[in-house]
Structure formats: structure tokens, C-alpha cells
């Protein structure tokens, strides 16, 4: 597929291409241009040209375009989900969830398009003020490969509704569904140039976008190290930046938890999307009173998970995105084994057999008795490996939960309100779930604290993040 700039399919300036491969089979699906500085400039020029007319439209009219696009996405959800599974690997059921989640986001922002209001402040003898929220201008969105469709929705929904125009750079391994979704938006009435997609690598197209002088705001989702670089560049150029970065969410299961429900929560929380989710359950702390029975039940469930090509029927977990990502997991588990930092209860290896040879599969892995300070608990493990730790009490669970640099999400599984209050007050995370994990509907502000980032996706908060407040002071 080609880049989408100014309403046209466009080749790259220097005719280099990036292969897009199916991570389940290694087969070439398509290729996209490896965008350069010049391609980024073309896209930014086109977004700048489209800005004035788009910003002038009534918010309700912009919302209607998002709404129509959502209906088209719903009509085509099977084809879109198939494309997503082909390029990303996740089971088709999860791709359908994600595509519908994208439509939900657009519908949510269409639905609140009548609610963006300013303020009037009466100052008696000094005069009166009118405060309005205006779009910022041309914004950049840089997104990762793990949930490319949902994250595209999180960024374009509020940004476009607020009246901004945008240049989006997909991850180089998963650009196809993003490109198709951009076409659908235009088919639904989005004027040419309002959303442009530049394909390419992070260090070239991504960095050029961050540095481009006409970009006023950058919304980035990805790794903490990349986020740090982007923050630095944005700071030098005095640009507004929202960073949605990595996480290592703890899940705390107390002795009064509904055990079977918590087991299912941990299973989905960790192994959904082959463990490649920012808010996956990455550390599990179980109260000692239930640890044996809980771990046994969890192991039984982990052992039933079927791994395979996401297009197959009854597949619970697909491949990882790439050889490099799988290599990181192989190394982390190997280190645990060699340093005797935990006991591998399930998995701990790749899969054998012809169905797995060309793909990047890894077995769902459960590791118990992981020692504090082990890499499995200090680093973000972005794959299907779940470390389980037994804790004697809530104090220990909270202390351990706070030991990493991350602060994206956390969950507590309990029937006790006092426990919930302590976890909410003391565990440092942007979102605390009670008796569930992972769910992030469009209404709910979402984002991290500590090294997990700043700013918020979703809800009114994200919309505010794509506006600037201006004041008219009337001195009578
Ligand atoms: P990544 O940082 O490697 O890449 C993300 C995007 O940034 C890609 O499009 C990439 O091409 C681009 N990029 C890379 N280097 C760049 C540079 N120097 N300048 C500009 N752009 C650059 O991250 P990834 O491996 O694709 O994604 C996985 C990470 O994303 C994990 O840490 C995960 O937790 C995090 N994540 C966070 C959230 C959240 O909402 N907080 C959601 C999903 C994923």
C-alpha cells in the first residue's frame, strides 16, 4: 500500500520500501514506502493547507464525519480484522474486538461533539471574559504495533474532533490497517489533508515528524526510551507532547478474592495479544492463604491455551510480532532459569512443529516464586510470561507493586472496600481496577504516572489535550 497524503495514495520520494510480513508465517503480505524527511514535509504541508477550513467547521459537523466513518468500519469489520491479524498476528476474535473498539471511540467523540463549551467570567467593574477552546494546529501521532487500530482511534478521535489536522506515523511492522482506516475516513467525508499517513521507520520518518517546525503537538505511544528521546526533542523545539509509554502492571489478589474470577482475570490480563499490551498483568502478587490453590488453577488454565495462526479457529494466542521481540522474551526467561530466580511452571520455550517453524511463537509461560529484583519483575516484559509472587499481607503487596519505575495500571481483587481504598491511595498508577484488569472504554481517561508517561487518552480529558484555551477580555 502507498502512503496517504492530501487525499492521495503517494509513493515515497526515494523509492525505498519496507516489507510487511505475517508474524505467524513469515510471508510477505505487502510493502509500504520507507518515508523520508521530504515525505514528512509533504504530509505536514498538506495538513497545514487543510487546517483553516477544518478548524472553521462546526464541531458537530466534524463529529458527524467521525460517526459515518465508524459505521463504515462496522460494516467492514471482518475485512479490517483479517488485515489486522495478517499484519499483527493476534487471534481474529481479538482483532474484531479492536476494530469495534475503534468504532466505539469515533462514536464516543461524535457523541460529545455538542458538549465542548467555553466559559464566561463576569468581573464586575473590570469587565467580562470569554474563554474558548481552540484547536492547536497540525498535530503528529506516532503509534506502536501492539494495538495499532485502537491507538489510532485514541489519537485521531479527539484530535480531529477538536479541529486539528494530523500526520500519523504507524509502526513500520503494522501500517496496513491504519492506511485502510484513513481511506475509510475520507470515504466518510473527511476532507483531503485533514489526516495524512506517512509510513516509515522511527529514526527517519518518526524523528523528522517530531522535529518538523510546523508540528505543534506530538502524541506518542511506545517505549519509554523512545518517549524520552521525543520529550527531549519536543522540549528543544517548545512543542506540546503527550507520552503514553510502557508499563508493568501489578495485579494483587487478596485472600477474600473470588478465586476463579481472578484466575480468568490473570489469564486474559497477561496472555491477551500474546502479552504485548501496555496494561497487561505483568506481575501477579497473590496472598499466601490462597497462593497454592490459585497458582494450581492458573497453571491448569495456562496449559489449556491454544497457540497458533490467529486466522485459525479456536486460537487463544497468536505469535509475537517479530523475531527481535521474541528474542527478548527468550533471554529474560533464560536468565531466570540460569540465575534460579523463579520456578517455571508452564511454557518457557518456543513451540515445535511445522505449524510454528516460520512464525514467532512462544508458549504461554508461568513462573512462580520469582525473587524480588529479578528482571522478570523490574523490567517491562512485553510477551506471554507471567511471574507470580506470594505475599504475606497487603502492606507487602503494595510495597512490591510500587517497586518499578512504571505507573500505568494496577488491579486489586478483593471483596473488601478498605483494601480497595488503600490500593487506590497507595499504589502509584494512572488507573486502578477492582476485580478486573485491562478494560479501557473510550469514556475513561487513560494514561500513566511515573515513567509511564503524561497526558491522557480517551474521554473529555483527551479532547482538552488537543485544544488550547484562549481568552477574550472585554473591558467595558
Ligand atoms: P517503539 O517506541 O519502538 O515504537 C513506537 C513508535 O515510535 C513506532 O511507530 C516507531 O517507528 C516510532 N519511533 C521509534 N523511534 C523513534 C524516534 N526516534 N523518533 C520518533 N519515532 C520513533 O515502541 P513499540 O515497541 O512499537 O511499542 C511497545 C511499547 O509501547 C511498550 O513499551 C508498550 O508498553 C508501549 N505502549 C504503551 C501504551 C500506552 O498507552 N501507555 C499503549 C501501547 C503500547
Amino acid at each position: 500500500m502507498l502512503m496517504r497524503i492530501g487525499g492521495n495514495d503517494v509513493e515515497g520520494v526515494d523509492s525505498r520500501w519496507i516489507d510487511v510480513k505475517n508474524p505467524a508465517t513469515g510471508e510477505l503480505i505487502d510493502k509500504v514506502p520507507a518515508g523520508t524527511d521530504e515525505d514528512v514535509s509533504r504530509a505536514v504541508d498538506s495538513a497545514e493547507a487543510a487546517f483553516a477550513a477544518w478548524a472553521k467547521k462546526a464541531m458537530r459537523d466534524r463529529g458527524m464525519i467521525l460517526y459515518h466513518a465508524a459505521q463504515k468500519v462496522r460494516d467492514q469489520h471482518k475485512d479490517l480484522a483479517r488485515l489486522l491479524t495478517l499484519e499483527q498476528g493476534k487471534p481474529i476474535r481479538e482483532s474484531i474486538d479492536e476494530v469495534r473498539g475503534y468504532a466505539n471511540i469515533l462514536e464516543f467523540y461524535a457523541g460529545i461533539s455538542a458538549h465542548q463549551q467555553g466559559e464566561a467570567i463576569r468581573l464586575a467593574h473590570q469587565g467580562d471574559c470569554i474563554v474558548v477552546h481552540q484547536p492547536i494546529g497540525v498535530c503528529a501521532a506516532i503509534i506502536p504495533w501492539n494495538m495499532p487500530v485502537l491507538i489510532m482511534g485514541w489519537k485521531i478521535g479527539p484530535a480531529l474532533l477538536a479541529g486539528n489536522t494530523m500526520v500519523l506515523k504507524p509502526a513500520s511492522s503494522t501500517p496496513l490497517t491504519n492506511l485502510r482506516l484513513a481511506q475509510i475516513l475520507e470515504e466518510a467525508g473527511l476532507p483531503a489533508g485533514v489526516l495524512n499517513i506517512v509510513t516509515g521507520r522511527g529514526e527517519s520518518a518518526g524523528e523528522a515528524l517530531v522535529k518538523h517546525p510546523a508540528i505543534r503537538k506530538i502524541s506518542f505511544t511506545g517505549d519509554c526510551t523512545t518517549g524520552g528521546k521525543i520529550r527531549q526533542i519536543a522540549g528543544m523545539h517548545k512543542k506540546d507532547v503527550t507520552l503514553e509509554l510502557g508499563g508493568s502492571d501489578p495485579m494483587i489478589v487478596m485472600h477474600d478474592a473470588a478465586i476463579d474470577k481472578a484466575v480468568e482475570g490473570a489469564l486474559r490480563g497477561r496472555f491477551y495479544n500474546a502479552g504485548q499490551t501496555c496494561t497487561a498483568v505483568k506481575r501477579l502478587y497473590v496472598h499466601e492463604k490462597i497462593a497454592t490453590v490459585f497458582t494450581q488453577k492458573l497453571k491448569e488454565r495456562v496449559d489449556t491455551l491454544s497457540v497458533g495462526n490467529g486466522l485459525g479457529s479456536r486460537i487463544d494466542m497468536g505469535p509475537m510480532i517479530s523475531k527481535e521481540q521474541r528474542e527478548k522474551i527468550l533471554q529474560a526467561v533464560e536468565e531466570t532459569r540460569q540465575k534460579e530466580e523463579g520456578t517455571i511452571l508452564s511454557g518457557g520455550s518456543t513451540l515445535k512443529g511445522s505449524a510454528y517453524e516460520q512464525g514467532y511463537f512462544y508458549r504461554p509461560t508461568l513462573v512462580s516464586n520469582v525473587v524480588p529484583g529479578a528482571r522478570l519483575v523490574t523490567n517491562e516484559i512485553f510477551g506471554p510470561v507471567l511471574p507470580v509472587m506470594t505475599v504475606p499481607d497487603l502492606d507487602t503487596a503494595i510495597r512490591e507493586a510500587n517497586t518499578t519505575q512504571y505507573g500505568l495500571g494496577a488491579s486489586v481483587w478483593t471483596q473488601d472496600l478498605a483494601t480497595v481504598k488503600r490500593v487506590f491511595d497507595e499504589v502509584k498508577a494512572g488507573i486502578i481496577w477492582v476485580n478486573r484488569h485491562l478494560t479501557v472504554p473510550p469514556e475513561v481517561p487513560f494514561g500513566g504516572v511515573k515513567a509511564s508517561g503524561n497526558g491522557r487518552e480517551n474521554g473529555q480529558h483527551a479532547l482538552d489535550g488537543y485544544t488550547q484555551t484562549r481568552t477574550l477580555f472585554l473591558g467595558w
Side-chain angles (χ1 to χ4, degrees):
M1 285 176 92
L2 300 177
M3 296 191 277
R4 193 80 194 157
I5 298 179
N8 297 307
D9 290 332
V10 174
E11 286 193 13
V13 169
D14 81 353
S15 345
R16 279 182 306 141
W17 297 86
I18 297 173
D19 288 345
V20 183
K21 291 186 176 170
N22 181 339
T25 62
E27 283 162 4
L28 183 71
I29 311 167
D30 206 337
K31 52 185 187 155
V32 292
T36 60
D37 292 20
E38 253 180 275
D39 298 310
V40 165
S41 288
R42 280 197 293 178
V44 175
D45 288 350
S46 130
E48 267 194 302
F51 177 71
W54 181 245
K56 234 184 251 161
K57 261 188 188 298
M59 197 181 230
R60 191 171 173 281
D61 293 338
R62 294 195 293 259
M64 282 310 287
I65 293 173
L66 296 183
Y67 179 78
H68 289 313
Q71 304 324 299
K72 285 180 179 289
V73 166
R74 289 196 188 285
D75 290 346
Q76 298 172 43
H77 77 273
K78 285 191 184 145
D79 291 343
L80 289 162
R82 190 166 189 283
L83 185 59
L84 178 57
T85 290
L86 277 175
E87 63 177 338
Q88 204 277 349
K90 61 185 70 188
I92 192 76
R93 184 165 29 86
E94 293 183 11
S95 290
I96 289 175
D97 271 2
E98 189 170 335
V99 168
R100 288 189 175 141
Y102 171 90
N104 291 343
I105 296 165
L106 298 197
E107 285 165 3
F108 169 78
Y109 282 107
I112 64 166
S113 62
H115 293 280
Q116 185 74 341
Q117 288 167 353
E119 304 162 53
I121 304 170
R122 308 222 64 183
L123 295 167
H125 59 280
Q126 288 164 313
D128 294 317
C129 288
I130 298 170
V131 181
V132 296
H133 302 283
Q134 290 189 336
I136 297 170
V138 182
C139 300
I142 300 180
I143 67 174
W145 45 263
N146 66 329
M147 299 232 166
V149 169
L150 205 61
I151 295 172
M152 175 176 175
W154 286 350
K155 298 196 187 306
I156 63 142
L160 301 188
L161 182 71
N164 302 286
T165 55
M166 194 164 232
V167 179
L168 181 143
K169 194 201 86 62
S172 45
S173 47
T174 56
L176 304 179
T177 323
N178 292 147
L179 283 163
R180 181 67 198 114
L181 288 169
Q183 287 170 351
I184 291 178
L185 274 153
E186 286 168 13
E187 287 157 18
L190 192 74
V194 171
L195 175 66
N196 306 276
I197 310 278
V198 175
T199 53
R201 303 202 186 279
E203 58 281 11
S204 42
E207 232 170 279
L209 191 53
V210 173
K211 287 181 180 158
H212 196 290
I215 294 288
R216 297 312 319 145
K217 176 181 171 111
I218 301 147
S219 178
F220 170 78
T221 300
D223 182 76
C224 286
T225 311
T226 321
K229 268 193 214 164
I230 289 176
R231 191 200 299 272
Q232 213 175 8
I233 301 171
M236 272 171 2
H237 293 84
K238 307 209 171 28
K239 296 179 182 201
D240 184 5
V241 61
T242 299
L243 300 173
E244 303 292 347
L245 307 178
S248 178
D249 288 14
M251 167 171 172
I252 299 172
V253 187
M254 293 305 289
H255 50 83
D256 62 342
I259 292 187
D260 290 342
K261 190 175 168 195
V263 165
E264 291 307 314
L267 197 77
R268 180 180 144 82
R270 176 72 270 199
F271 299 106
Y272 191 82
N273 200 19
Q276 305 167 119
T277 305
C278 52
T279 51
V281 173
K282 297 193 180 116
R283 297 172 290 143
L284 184 52
Y285 296 100
V286 185
H287 193 279
E288 62 183 14
K289 277 194 192 156
I290 56 160
T292 306
V293 60
F294 182 90
T295 310
Q296 183 54 35
K297 282 181 179 243
L298 182 58
K299 177 183 161 35
E300 280 165 21
R301 288 290 286 120
V302 170
D303 290 340
T304 64
L305 293 176
S306 62
V307 181
N309 186 326
L311 290 180
S313 57
R314 289 196 287 279
I315 293 298
D316 297 310
M317 204 179 89
M320 298 189 62
I321 188 73
S322 64
K323 197 170 174 203
E324 296 72 36
Q325 288 297 323
R326 187 175 65 172
E327 197 51 39
K328 289 184 192 168
I329 297 300
L330 282 164
Q331 282 176 12
V333 173
E334 203 39 49
E335 184 178 310
T336 309
R337 231 186 233 121
Q338 277 177 13
K339 294 189 176 169
E340 298 183 350
E341 289 180 334
T343 311
I344 294 166
L345 295 179
S346 298
S349 63
T350 56
L351 288 101
K352 308 281 175 267
S354 57
Y356 304 110
E357 258 160 30
Q358 304 304 321
Y360 313 119
F361 296 96
Y362 194 79
R363 291 171 68 198
T365 299
L366 193 61
V367 189
S368 67
N369 303 319
V370 178
V371 299
R375 170 161 156 192
L376 282 194
V377 290
T378 54
N379 289 21
E380 180 185 33
I381 302 295
F382 216 54
V385 179
L386 180 54
V388 189
M389 283 71 63
T390 302
V391 286
D393 49 39
L394 184 60
D395 287 343
T396 312
I398 291 175
R399 198 177 57 243
E400 291 299 321
N402 283 329
T403 50
T404 71
Q405 61 167 327
Y406 303 105
L408 199 52
S411 66
V412 59
W413 298 68
T414 180
Q415 309 300 325
D416 178 37
L417 212 48
T419 301
V420 171
K421 176 162 168 44
R422 277 205 59 200
V423 170
F424 185 60
D425 288 347
E426 296 175 38
V427 173
K428 306 292 177 241
I431 183 166
I432 306 282
W433 289 278
V434 179
N435 298 330
R436 66 186 309 149
H437 203 111
L438 269 192
T439 322
V440 186
E443 296 82 356
V444 178
F446 168 70
V449 299
K450 295 163 64 185
S452 291
N454 69 305
R456 292 292 174 263
E457 309 270 31
N458 283 346
Q460 179 70 38
H461 293 257
L463 188 59
D464 292 343
Y466 284 103
T467 64
Q468 50 195 353
T469 301
R470 297 190 60 230
T471 303
L472 178 68
F473 196 122
L474 302 163
W476 301 124

